[in-house]
Amino acid sequence: MTAAPLPRSRPPVPNRRAVLRGGAGLTLAVAAGSAVAACTSGPSDRQLAAESLVPLAQSAARQEQQAQQLAPRETAYTAALQQVATERGEHAQALVDEINRLHSPAAAQASTAPGGTDPVTLDVLRAELETAARLAAAGAVDADGFRAGLLGSISASCATLREVQLA
């Protein structure tokens, strides 16, 4: 007597609930994988761009304060120093606004201008305006879009303040 072949069992047909549970599990797995892949170990491009503007904003705020301090002492340049203070204050605000748009946590750093210990003179302010113009121009070359235009404008303004207003 030969043994009868065993009947082949068919795999169970999944019911609707099993399919839905599997689909939900797959969706969660894909979402979790995407979230892990989105996490990078370094700062984003926006954060780096914002952080590169922080020293420029601090410099503008410091030069605004310096011009305000010099205005009453340098009576021949009072009007010019008031113009420097006004424009550098506007530069500082525009830079802080851009930093805030790019990466708001960096804006807090930009709002605090480190004070200098050196006595403020016209020559010191002129030198700082020249440095600010050079740094803003270099930043404009590296930037694109609005940031490039903003930095180019600030560079031109700083050069003009130094060469025309404080001549």
Side-chain angles (χ1 to χ4, degrees):
M1 177 173 204
T2 60
L6 295 172
R8 288 192 169 184
S9 62
R10 290 188 184 170
V13 177
N15 63 20
R16 190 170 132 210
R17 285 186 184 158
V19 170
L20 289 175
R21 270 189 251 137
L26 181 62
T27 302
L28 287 174
V30 168
S34 297
V36 169
C39 294
T40 61
S41 60
S44 69
D45 289 342
R46 290 173 63 92
Q47 182 179 353
L48 292 173
E51 289 172 355
S52 73
L53 297 177
V54 168
L56 297 173
Q58 290 174 333
S59 171
R62 183 178 55 253
Q63 290 162 17
E64 174 189 20
Q65 292 171 356
Q66 290 173 335
Q68 289 170 341
Q69 291 171 2
L70 276 173
R73 293 193 324 235
E74 297 287 342
T75 55
Y77 287 94
T78 298
L81 288 164
Q82 289 171 345
Q83 183 66 32
V84 170
T86 299
E87 287 191 34
R88 290 306 278 153
E90 290 171 359
H91 296 164
Q93 186 59 55
L95 287 163
V96 168
D97 290 346
E98 180 64 4
I99 292 166
N100 196 35
R101 185 186 72 78
L102 290 168
H103 185 71
S104 58
Q109 295 173 326
S111 298
T112 57
T117 57
D118 295 335
V120 180
T121 64
L122 276 175
D123 289 336
V124 168
L125 184 57
R126 285 183 188 118
E128 287 201 19
L129 285 169
E130 181 178 353
T131 300
R134 195 171 16 85
L135 292 174
V141 169
D142 294 336
D144 60 355
F146 176 79
R147 250 185 348 273
L150 174 65
L151 294 174
S153 175
I154 288 172
S155 176
S157 177
C158 289
T160 302
L161 290 171
R162 181 185 185 283
E163 297 297 326
V164 176
Q165 294 291 336
L166 299 181

